[in-house]
């Protein structure tokens, strides 16, 4: 998948600029298996990379400026080595933002970007774009930043250039993800372990059809509510809270609900990582079901159309696996984990199309 996309980017580059690119970088998207809305609470998450992603073909230009083509939009952006924010938030914000955040621009670059992740699906197309651009910038100057540095630059871009106060999960999952593995990431210190997903498990994603909006949505509000909960409990982050502490606190109804989700979701992530290691698909599925209910009822980031897809899939899958919304919420994708070999049968039963992750 990534090879085909890189080849496409190289061909588009040659067609636009008249010569082959000096390099082509790639970064995947990600799907989160469990650990939702806990990354900005210093929590634990379990994402894995998808096969689709973003490719950026590049060559050093002969002028001190950037010429960047977003092939999928038929748009082009030209700007100096130290770019300013564009008037609206769009793909140019991410590209320019990465160039500033990485601090790796030494000379002008020509770049052609193309991707095969659908935007607004909750599979981190923006983190994928940022990391692909970051890798191209690094390759162009012979630098080798580690995944955490690239991820932090991408997170700064999201915060400062796109106005989304996101956590670090997406960027780390994209920068350090390993195919066929889920990554147990500790968002407090960015340490991680790659956990192999068993060959007899299938991981698939289906789109709810409701496009999600992080900025328009209530993502930033949820983050503020979690910070308020931690402050009221007298701790630095909800990572350090226990269910008992939240229940015994004087937090108001909504803030308490948010905190209860976070504390229980971090515990679910640990339990899911253990179920993965034990190859216990039934236990893993039960954790997915509990995670969805909590996002729907306590954290209130699901929407009825997504709940319907999740319910239908959970029924079709039965006890050996499960399904839940994935990503920030308010629409987007649903992730399902089930026995390998059931993909066609589940597609038929649900009338839905799956994107195979594993
Ligand atoms: C979005 C954000 C992430 C994370 C998830 C929810 O994807 O970018 O940082 O908070 O939502 O788990």
């Amino acid at each position: 998948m990534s090879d085909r996309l890189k080849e496409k980017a190289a061909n588009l580059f040659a067609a636009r600029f008249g010569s082959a690119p000096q390099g082509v970088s790639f970064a995947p998207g990600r799907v989160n298996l469990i650990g939702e809305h806990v990354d900005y609470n210093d929590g634990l998450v379990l994402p894995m990379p998808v096969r689709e992603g973003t490719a950026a073909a590049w060559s050093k230009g002969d002028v001190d400026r950037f010429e960047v083509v977003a092939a999928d939009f038929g748009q082009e952006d030209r700007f100096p080595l130290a770019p300013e924010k564009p008037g609206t938030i769009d793909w140019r914000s991410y590209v320019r933002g990465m160039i500033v955040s990485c601090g790796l621009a030494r000379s002008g670059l020509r770049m052609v970007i193309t991707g095969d992740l659908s935007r607004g699906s909750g599979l981190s197309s923006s983190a994928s774009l940022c990391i692909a651009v970051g890798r191209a910038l690094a390759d162009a100057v012979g630098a080798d930043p580690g995944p955490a540095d690239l991820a932090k630059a991408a997170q700064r871009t999201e915060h400062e250039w796109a106005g989304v106060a996101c956590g670090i999960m997406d960027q780390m999952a994209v920068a350090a993800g390993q195919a066929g593995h889920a990554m147990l990431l500790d968002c407090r210190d960015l340490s991680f372990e790659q956990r192999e997903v068993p060959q007899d498990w299938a991981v698939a994603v289906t789109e709810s059809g409701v496009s999600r909006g992080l900025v328009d949505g209530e993502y930033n509000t949820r983050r503020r509510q979690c910070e308020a909960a931690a402050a009221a409990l007298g701790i630095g982050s909800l990572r350090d809270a226990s269910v008992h502490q939240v229940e015994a606190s004087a937090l108001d109804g909504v803030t308490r609900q948010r905190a209860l989700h976070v504390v229980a979701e971090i515990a679910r992530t640990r339990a899911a990582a253990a179920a993965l290691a034990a190859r216990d698909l039934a236990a893993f599925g039960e954790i997915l079901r509990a995670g969805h209910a909590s996002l729907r009822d306590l954290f209130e980031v699901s929407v009825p159309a997504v709940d319907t897809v999740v319910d239908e899939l959970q029924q079709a899958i039965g006890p050996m696996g499960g399904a839940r919304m994935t990503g920030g919420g308010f629409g987007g994708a649903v992730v399902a984990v089930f026995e390998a070999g059931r993909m066609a049968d589940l597609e038929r039963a649900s009338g839905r199309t799956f994107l195979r992750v594993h």
Side-chain angles (χ1 to χ4, degrees):
M1 196 66 91
S2 66
D3 284 346
R4 267 217 312 271
L5 194 68
K6 285 168 83 170
E7 195 182 317
K8 179 179 170 196
N11 290 338
L12 289 165
F13 186 98
R16 169 63 185 82
F17 293 115
S19 59
Q22 288 171 346
V24 186
S25 67
F26 173 81
R30 69 94 188 91
V31 60
N32 190 21
L33 300 182
I34 191 82
E36 218 66 90
H37 285 275
V38 300
D39 59 349
Y40 52 83
N41 291 298
D42 283 348
L44 301 171
V45 295
L46 194 67
M48 73 183 291
V50 298
R51 298 165 193 217
E52 293 71 19
T54 312
W58 60 269
S59 276
K60 290 181 198 173
D62 39 20
V63 283
D64 263 0
R65 67 171 182 179
F66 282 84
E67 296 177 10
V68 184
V69 178
D72 306 332
F73 298 124
Q75 291 176 6
E76 191 156 336
D77 191 22
R78 293 165 182 235
F79 50 88
L81 291 196
E84 296 186 346
K85 287 187 180 155
T88 51
I89 296 175
D90 57 22
W91 67 272
R92 295 170 304 161
S93 316
Y94 293 102
V95 175
R96 294 183 184 196
M98 265 320 264
I99 287 161
V100 173
S101 303
C102 286
L104 289 171
R106 305 276 178 272
S107 66
L109 278 191
R110 290 184 166 138
M111 202 183 279
V112 173
I113 300 169
T114 183
D116 54 4
L117 282 166
S118 51
R119 283 166 291 279
S121 64
L123 298 179
S124 284
S125 54
S126 60
S128 171
L129 168 60
C130 287
I131 301 296
V133 168
R135 285 185 173 149
L137 294 169
D139 287 349
V141 296
D144 189 15
D149 284 344
L150 272 181
K152 285 181 194 162
Q155 187 193 33
R156 275 199 300 281
T157 300
E158 199 74 68
H159 286 199
E160 291 163 18
W161 293 69
V164 183
C166 65
I168 192 81
M169 166 176 72
D170 302 345
Q171 295 75 13
M172 279 300 288
V174 167
Q178 197 180 324
H181 292 71
M183 174 176 167
L184 179 62
L185 170 68
D186 184 334
C187 298
R188 171 169 272 169
D189 61 10
L190 301 191
S191 60
F192 58 86
E193 285 166 35
Q194 303 285 1
R195 297 279 170 92
E196 199 175 353
V197 179
Q199 280 309 321
D200 53 354
W201 292 21
V203 179
V205 166
T206 186
E207 295 198 20
S208 66
V210 185
S211 181
R212 104 193 190 291
L214 280 184
V215 184
D216 303 341
E218 300 194 39
Y219 185 90
N220 294 351
T221 311
R222 292 298 182 285
R223 183 167 184 157
R224 279 197 298 275
Q225 289 168 333
C226 291
E227 284 161 2
L233 293 171
I235 50 181
S237 73
L238 287 177
R239 168 74 177 267
D240 296 322
S242 66
V243 172
H244 173 72
Q245 195 180 357
V246 176
E247 277 172 347
S249 72
L251 292 177
D252 70 77
V254 170
T255 316
R256 173 190 303 259
Q257 272 180 226
R258 306 295 188 244
L260 280 175
H261 163 76
V262 170
V263 174
E265 183 81 351
I266 294 172
R268 275 190 288 272
T269 307
R270 280 190 213 284
L276 191 60
R279 299 170 171 259
D280 187 342
L281 183 53
F284 198 89
E286 202 174 320
I287 295 164
L288 296 189
R289 288 192 288 278
H292 185 78
S294 180
L295 289 164
R296 183 190 59 211
D297 302 335
L298 295 179
F299 216 69
E300 297 178 287
V301 289
S302 191
V303 292
V306 170
D307 295 337
T308 305
V309 177
V310 169
D311 287 348
E312 283 170 9
L313 283 178
Q314 285 180 355
Q315 270 196 8
I317 292 169
M320 288 305 279
R324 64 170 202 91
M325 59 154 273
T326 181
F330 305 104
V334 169
V335 61
V337 182
F338 46 88
E339 291 160 296
R342 288 199 66 198
M343 183 86 91
D345 136 46
L346 286 171
E347 279 191 323
R348 243 190 332 271
S350 63
R352 312 197 62 82
T353 317
F354 290 139
L355 189 71
R356 180 188 284 278
V357 179
H358 175 77

